Amino acid sequence: VQLQASGGGLVQPGGSLRLSCAVRQSTVVDHYAVGWFRQAPGKEREGVSGIMVSDGRTYYSESVKGRFTITRDRAKQTAYLEMTNLKPEDTAVYYCATGFLSDWQNYDPSHHNRFYWGRGTLVTVSS
């Protein structure tokens, strides 16, 4: 499984960015979710948002609910994270991942191997 992430960059507070994550695998695994984690300097990695490939069920962390929207294009095997009203505390390296949706919540480092990971992309929210 290969994950190709794109997007990210520098944005002012209140601004918007979109992240994309394309999943390349030999077969479509419908019972998996695709989404993002993030890790800020000096902090633990946390689940941000995930979406089921099959039925579109979603997970959002409390800190991004109402500001971030995750969608997916099954034909393109690609997920998108639309981030709006960005805050300085959203600054982090964002990692695209695929795994079970139930593992997005309460993630800890021992769960790392439950996921396939893409390369991280830096999102900086600053004026």
Side-chain angles (χ1 to χ4, degrees), residues 16-27:
S16 300
L17 281 175
R18 189 173 87 152
L19 305 180
S20 300
C21 177
V23 182
R24 299 290 176 252
Q25 55 191 0
S26 58
T27 58

Side-chain angles (χ1 to χ4, degrees), residues 45-92:
R45 191 170 296 191
E46 62 170 344
V48 175
S49 183
I51 185 167
M52 284 292 292
V53 172
S54 58
D55 61 12
R57 278 181 293 132
T58 58
Y59 165 79
Y60 294 98
S61 68
E62 286 298 320
S63 61
V64 307
K65 274 183 182 178
R67 300 188 299 121
F68 291 11
T69 302
I70 191 168
T71 57
R72 95 282 192 219
D73 183 326
R74 291 185 69 182
K76 294 181 179 179
Q77 295 190 57
T78 300
Y80 306 94
L81 186 68
E82 193 74 37
M83 305 184 293
T84 63
N85 191 21
L86 282 160
K87 304 175 181 180
E89 51 264 41
D90 294 316
T91 295

